[in-house]
């Protein structure tokens, strides 16, 4: 895979800046632009760095049992990497052919869950997006938070039942893995491994096209965060096309951001969290049409990365 650093379109960067500002008043953060093409760091992590069994993340319900890393889980799945090595960080696949990956983050935080329970927000699951993907038989990859899975189990089963959809990991409660990540509360370092392992376990229970792909909230990660995930044998997926759909007030900028600079092998970042990304369902038909005009075809992430 290429190591060349991609150039994120200016419109995507501007969209990310605007949405990051909106984060200060909104309940859920925006993805940051990707910073690297693909970085492989195969150095083994000393056994002393593998965390002991951890207590549940701060965002988990008090009754939830702790979940710890189990070596060997996920072997043979797309994105699986050697346990004990720093995970590779991938922005895009090979710049050949005509395949691109549509990826949808399903965020859920404690604050978002409170909004649902209070009735202040109707839904963080955009069914119009899923309806369109199913109707048009479009492949997609969903990065699910464990909390979102718990909130929408029937919808998760629906995603898992579609052979064109892949399921990936976006943490349990969308906590930050680095300081200063768009104002997100931070998961303690000692609980990082358990947080991600717990979500893999939750998602695995639904079957379907499972992967060992993982995306950090806000795309915020550093060497400590990667080291914490080394016991889980996964691949970190950022993306090279940032749609800027969180908190968008019009579908047109989302379409421009998604199509400007898209190339073979691109990984497009979108959201399925309806209340926090209300324009995505309106933008998606135009994005699909624009990809077709460019001769580009959506495919599962594993196929785009050459691992399917």
């Amino acid at each position: 895979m290429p190591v060349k650093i991609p150039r994120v379109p200016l419109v995507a960067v501007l969209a990310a800046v605007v949405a990051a500002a909106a984060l200060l008043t909104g309940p859920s953060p925006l993805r940051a632009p990707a910073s690297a093409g693909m970085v492989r760091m195969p150095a083994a992590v000393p056994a002393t760095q593998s965390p002991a069994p951890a207590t549940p993340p701060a965002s988990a319900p008090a009754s939830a049992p702790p979940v710890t890393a189990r070596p060997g889980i996920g072997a043979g799945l797309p994105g699986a990497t050697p346990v004990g090595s720093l995970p590779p960080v991938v922005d895009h696949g090979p710049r050949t052919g005509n395949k691109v990956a549509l990826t949808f983050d399903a965020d859920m935080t404690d604050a978002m869950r409170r909004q649902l329970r209070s009735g202040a927000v109707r839904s963080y699951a955009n069914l119009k997006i899923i309806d369109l993907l199913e109707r048009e038989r479009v492949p997609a990859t969903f990065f699910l938070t464990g909390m979102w899975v718990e909130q929408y189990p029937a919808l998760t089963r629906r995603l898992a039942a579609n052979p064109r959809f892949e399921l990936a990991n976006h943490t349990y409660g969308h906590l930050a893995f680095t300081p200063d990540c768009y104002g997100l509360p931070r998961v303690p370092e000692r609980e990082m491994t358990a947080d991600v392992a717990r979500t893999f376990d939750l998602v695995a229970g639904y079957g379907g096209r499972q992967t060992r792909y993982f995306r950090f909230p806000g795309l915020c990660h550093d060497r400590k965060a990667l080291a914490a995930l080394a016991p889980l044998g996964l691949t970190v997926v950022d993306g090279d096309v940032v749609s800027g759909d969180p908190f968008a007030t019009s579908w047109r900028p989302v379409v421009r951001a998604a199509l400007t600079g898209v190339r073979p092998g691109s990984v497009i970042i979108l959201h399925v969290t309806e209340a926090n990304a209300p324009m995505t369902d309106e933008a998606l038909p135009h994005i699909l049409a624009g990809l077709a005009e460019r001769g580009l075809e959506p495919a599962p992430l594993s196929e785009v990365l050459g691992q399917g």
Side-chain angles (χ1 to χ4, degrees), residues 31-122:
R31 306 276 72 79
S35 59
M38 177 171 180
V39 181
R40 288 199 175 275
M41 291 168 286
V45 177
T48 55
Q49 292 187 20
S50 298
T55 56
S59 62
S63 59
V67 180
T68 56
R70 289 182 283 170
I73 285 184
L77 293 178
T81 57
V83 171
S85 296
L86 288 176
V89 179
V90 179
D91 262 353
H92 57 79
R95 299 301 194 184
T96 57
N98 69 335
K99 306 295 186 183
V100 298
L102 295 174
T103 68
F104 294 86
D105 290 0
D107 302 348
M108 183 65 68
T109 65
D110 278 327
M112 292 166 70
R113 189 160 59 179
R114 286 194 297 270
Q115 294 270 339
L116 285 172
R117 291 174 176 175
S118 70
V121 166
R122 184 182 65 84

Side-chain angles (χ1 to χ4, degrees), residues 112-213:
M112 292 166 70
R113 189 160 59 179
R114 286 194 297 270
Q115 294 270 339
L116 285 172
R117 291 174 176 175
S118 70
V121 166
R122 184 182 65 84
S123 175
Y124 288 112
N126 196 325
L127 297 181
K128 292 180 181 179
I129 290 174
I130 299 168
D131 290 343
L132 174 61
L133 295 172
E134 290 178 340
R135 185 170 62 251
E136 300 298 328
R137 304 167 71 87
V138 177
T141 301
F142 291 85
F143 283 83
L144 307 175
T145 55
M147 196 177 290
W148 191 93
V149 170
E150 292 174 341
Q151 185 69 39
Y152 299 107
L155 187 52
T156 304
R157 283 192 291 272
R158 178 178 168 182
L159 297 178
N162 190 319
R164 296 178 182 82
F165 294 164
E166 289 182 325
L167 306 182
N169 188 325
H170 195 37
T171 74
Y172 176 75
H174 210 261
L175 296 174
F177 279 60
T178 64
D180 303 321
C181 183
Y182 299 100
L184 282 172
R186 189 180 180 190
V187 61
E189 187 175 340
R190 68 183 179 279
E191 297 175 8
M192 290 178 177
T193 310
D195 181 284
V196 177
R198 178 184 187 183
T199 304
F200 273 126
D201 286 347
L202 278 171
V203 176
Y206 289 84
R209 295 185 63 169
Q210 298 285 321
T211 72
R212 297 300 284 184
Y213 296 131

